[in-house]
Amino acid sequence: MAGGSFATDSVAKERAQQYKGRVTPYVIIACVVAATGGSLFGYDIGISGGVTSMDEFLQKFFPSVYKQKIHAHENNYCKYDSQALAAFTSSLYIAGLVASLIASPITRKHGRRLSIICGGMSFLVGSALNAAAVNLEMLIIGRIMLGVGIGFGNQAVPLYLSEMAPTHLRGGLNMMFQVATTFGIFTANMVNYGTQNIKPWGWRLSLGLAAVPAVLMTVGGVCLPDTPNSLVERGLKEKARKLLEKIRGTADVDAEFQDMVDASELASSIKHPFRNILEKKYRPELVMAIFMPTFQILTGINSILFYAPVLFQTMGFGRAASLYSSALTGGVLASSTFISIATVDKLGRRPLLISGGIQMITCQVIVGTILGVQFGDNKELSKGFSILVVVFICLFVLAFGWSWGPLGWTVPSEIFPLEIRSAGQSITVAVNLLFTFIIAQAFLSLLCSFKFGIFLFFAGWITIMTLFVSVFLPETKGIPIEEMSFMWRRHWFWKRVLA
């Protein structure tokens, strides 16, 4: 019964109006340092496509692809179609998927900090192996270690940001993770642009520089405090209260602290969070944990970011021009996230997701149409149309950067009650990495098969996800993280599911 089940939720009553405090320099510094974990994810997304377009890298590890590239027509859709090459990119994400599930109990029992530190150290090992790789096996092992780092980091960092941020600015501070991710992508693109002419070891420098964000994340994890929510969950209530007073800048934190204690008491009674998240009362959270990360990947953004240099070379851009174009898209993505930070806690999550979806659909359809009409195995794409394609890809990336990019992580990380929070975030990360793996592995083959239709394929998925948000996602703006359960009971659809 809806009316009689509130006692089983994270908190017994709504206290949001009683929350006190302000944004302190301490919490901003903590969030910025923690968010550097996103740069690991971003750097790897950006670096892969550039490295796999470098001739020296292909000659050493993928000679068959290099021969295929040399003998193919410059604008042949299929010249990079290689499952081995795709596996180089995608192996990291399947490793991250497994690691994110392992990270869940560690994050819950030992705190968010430890997972952040483990992630940074694993990434450091992976970057060293990749930079020193002498054969394909060593290269793949390095990628797997990078995946472990991403699995731990992506599991812990969004939770850390959501729990440290004050309610009224949670959306903006949580997006520091996406800012770091997009900055990592842009940095990787610029590194690739600079190392392409350092022969024959420029690719080693590109892969090895992944150690920089890994060091930042590891050192940051050592220096940061854990979150008050995590400290309460582990029975350190006095320490949690002092930290909460410090990050809120006031001693009047009774309402927020009581919500944490109430949520922790319920969480301590949950011995199997992965089993409990399947219960009916958590159905809305489970649905969002699965569909939000799935839809984020099915926008097609990772295909563009992974394979931007390859994609632009396929369209007839030269090697330097393709890396320059991908650096441009990386820069657009990095800057666009700030639009979301400035507006998410004023306009809300739903308006950004829906408007961003509409803009992305429009751009994908236009790019697909231009390529379908003006480009093919026997046609060159003229300079004018080439510029037009880059412009609309940038507009697509811009829309993603202020909508599904940050909010695909922010919304799931803020909706879970404490008792299933680590499990829920693990599912979100695992689903994200699963579909990232699938798209990374399949994209080159899809590009070969669908040709220009690949853009229309993703436009269709964006249409579905935009409709999904408009119908099923309630607005989470301004709702305390421990009181999200009340939101679902007010939604026209979910209140029927939970009845």
Side-chain angles (χ1 to χ4, degrees), residues 237-247 253 257:
K237 293 183 181 179
E238 186 176 340
K239 186 176 180 181
R241 168 107 195 186
K242 289 180 180 177
L243 177 61
L244 186 62
E245 291 176 359
K246 186 174 184 179
I247 65 177
V253 294
F257 185 71

Side-chain angles (χ1 to χ4, degrees), residues 15 39 144 222 409 483:
R15 301 187 182 93
S39 63
I144 290 171
V222 171
W409 290 108
E483 297 186 5

